[in-house]
Amino acid sequence: MAKLSVVNREVKRLRMVKKYAAKRAALKQILCDVSTSEGEREAAKRKLQSLPRNASPCRLRNRCQLTGRPHGYYRRFGLGRNKLRGAAMQGFIPGLVKSSW
C-alpha cells in the first residue's frame, strides 16, 4: 500500500486541478486564438505561468482507489491489478471472469 501522504498529495492535486480548470481553459483559449494581439497573448501566457504547478492536469497520477498503487492501474475499474484480480475472483465485478484455456 502506498504511503498515506502520497495518496493525500494526489487528492490535493485533484482538488487544485478542478479549482483552476476553467481559468486554465480560458487562458489557453486566448493563447490558441490567432486573432488576439501579441500583448494580450503575452499577458495570458504570464497569467498561465503564474498559476500553481499542481493546477496542471498532467501532474495527476492514476492510482488504485483501494491501495494507492501507481503501477498496474486499470482505468476502466479504477483499481490496481492485484485488487482487480481479487475483486473479480470474489465476483464483485459483473461480467469479469478470469480467463483460462
Side-chain angles (χ1 to χ4, degrees):
M1 184 158 167
K3 288 173 61 174
L4 189 61
S5 61
V6 175
V7 174
N8 288 338
R9 186 185 314 149
E10 286 296 319
V11 171
K12 182 179 170 184
R13 282 182 179 157
L14 183 61
R15 278 197 314 257
M16 193 166 286
V17 166
K18 288 180 181 176
K19 179 180 176 183
Y20 286 100
K23 187 181 270 191
R24 283 182 62 85
L27 290 172
K28 286 201 173 250
Q29 183 64 34
I30 291 170
L31 288 173
C32 292
D33 191 15
V34 293
S35 64
T36 57
S37 67
E38 195 63 35
E40 289 177 17
R41 199 171 289 182
E42 285 295 322
K45 190 183 214 180
R46 268 189 246 105
K47 285 181 184 177
L48 187 63
Q49 289 174 348
S50 69
L51 292 178
R53 281 187 178 185
N54 286 336
S56 176
C58 68
R59 288 179 67 95
L60 292 177
R61 176 84 174 141
N62 290 331
R63 290 183 175 272
C64 175
Q65 292 177 357
L66 299 178
T67 61
R69 179 182 166 83
H71 297 288
Y73 175 81
Y74 286 83
R75 268 187 216 168
R76 184 174 177 184
F77 306 104
L79 298 173
R81 61 182 174 82
N82 303 333
K83 293 298 174 179
L84 177 65
R85 184 172 189 269
M89 294 299 236
Q90 293 173 354
F92 293 144
I93 303 174
L96 186 68
V97 292
K98 183 176 179 289
S99 67
S100 61
W101 59 89

